[in-house]
């Protein structure tokens, strides 16, 4: 295998399955292993499934990038008060915000965020039991993590440097879950997520855009960057307009590398 064109691996963790993918160079990601499981599966039952999946398809000593589905993650915004004294205080504020919004114990979740003391920032929580199980399997099998990132953040990190409109909105839309985010100066300033509401036409975005603009008390965007799953008809919406908003579809094959930033 060429050192200059190495094979890369990605594990996608969804609510009801894990998929192992590989790619070489700029070729599309290819699924090489799939392990479905019940949404009620506990971390103790998840571990042997993951061990079998990786042992069958991933050579020992290899690095693995992990993408956690937006359906598994929890997104929210944090507006830090003035005179935050330390990162510990900032993390405590984020955890309190999470508990207030979702009614869950923050100790059962791992927080990732675009940490800042002087501006609102996006944060995301991943279930601790699932994260810990994955990391234990990697360590025991002599595999190495290249990072674990929620789905929309992985896409955003891979694309954000090439997006021309720094005040655009971003949307990740699938048949089961939708994430909308508003940006200012290239940073996410607002975020909303919801389940369901499957979209069948670009025109259905108009009331959603208006609803989120009212919720966020801001103007409609000039550009909406869209990302969706590969099987979706939404991939054909590129170049369409909803009022004054131009729809731009992002390349789905680019996501999967990057950190939470």
């Amino acid at each position: 295998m060429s050192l200059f064109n190495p094979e890369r691996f990605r594990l996608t963790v969804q609510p009801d399955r894990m998929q192992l993918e590989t790619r070489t160079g700029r070729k599309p990601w290819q699924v090489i292993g799939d392990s479905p499981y019940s949404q009620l599966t506990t971390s103790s039952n998840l571990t042997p499934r993951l061990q079998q999946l990786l042992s069958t398809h991933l050579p020992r000593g290899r690095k693995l990038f992990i993408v956690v589905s937006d359906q598994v993650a929890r997104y929210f915004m944090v507006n830090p008060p003035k005179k935050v004294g330390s990162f510990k205080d900032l993390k405590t504020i984020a955890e309190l915000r999470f508990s207030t919004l979702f009614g869950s114990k923050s100790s059962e979740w791992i927080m990732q965020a675009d940490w800042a003391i002087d501006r609102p920032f996006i944060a995301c929580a991943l279930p601790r039991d699932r994260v810990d199980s994955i990391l234990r399997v990697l360590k025991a099998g002599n595999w190495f993590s290249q990072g674990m990132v929620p789905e929309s953040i992985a896409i955003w990190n891979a694309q954000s440097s090439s997006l021309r409109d720094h005040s655009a909105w971003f949307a990740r839309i699938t048949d089961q879950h939708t994430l909308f985010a508003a940006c200012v100066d290239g940073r996410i300033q607002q975020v909303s997520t919801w389940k369901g509401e499957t979209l069948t036409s670009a025109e259905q975005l108009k009331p959603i855009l208006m609803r989120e603009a009212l919720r966020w008390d801001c103007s409609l965007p000039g550009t909406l960057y869209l990302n969706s799953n590969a099987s979706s008809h939404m991939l054909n919406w590129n170049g369409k307009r909803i009022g004054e908003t131009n729809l731009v579809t992002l390349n789905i094959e680019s996501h999967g590398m990057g950190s939470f930033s």
Side-chain angles (χ1 to χ4, degrees), residues 32-45:
I32 57 174
D34 186 288
S35 180
Y37 57 85
S38 167
Q39 294 192 36
L40 301 178
T41 297
T42 63
S43 58
S44 60
N45 294 328

Side-chain angles (χ1 to χ4, degrees), residues 157-231:
N157 285 340
Q159 297 280 0
S160 59
S161 62
S162 62
L163 304 184
R164 295 182 178 182
D165 188 344
H166 291 174
S167 296
W169 289 12
F170 167 76
R172 166 68 176 166
I173 303 174
T174 68
D175 293 336
Q176 298 83 27
H177 188 273
T178 297
L179 177 144
F180 260 69
C183 304
V184 175
D185 295 331
R187 290 189 177 274
I188 295 176
Q189 298 291 308
Q190 301 284 357
V191 66
S192 294
T193 61
W194 60 88
K195 295 181 180 180
E197 197 168 356
T198 301
L199 305 179
T200 59
S201 70
E203 287 69 28
Q204 289 179 286
L205 284 171
K206 185 173 182 179
I208 297 176
L209 288 169
M210 295 179 66
R211 181 188 69 196
E212 297 308 308
L214 288 171
R215 186 204 304 265
W216 298 335
D217 190 24
C218 63
S219 301
L220 292 173
T223 304
L224 174 63
Y225 292 114
L226 286 167
N227 184 272
S228 183
N229 50 326
S231 61

Side-chain angles (χ1 to χ4, degrees), residues 200-205 209 221-226 233-249:
T200 59
S201 70
E203 287 69 28
Q204 289 179 286
L205 284 171
L209 288 169
T223 304
L224 174 63
Y225 292 114
L226 286 167
H233 53 274
M234 299 173 203
L235 298 175
N236 299 319
W237 294 359
N238 187 60
K240 293 188 176 182
R241 295 187 67 85
I242 304 297
E244 297 301 316
T245 302
N246 186 42
L247 305 185
V248 178
T249 302

Side-chain angles (χ1 to χ4, degrees), residues 12 104 141 169:
T12 301
S104 300
W169 289 12

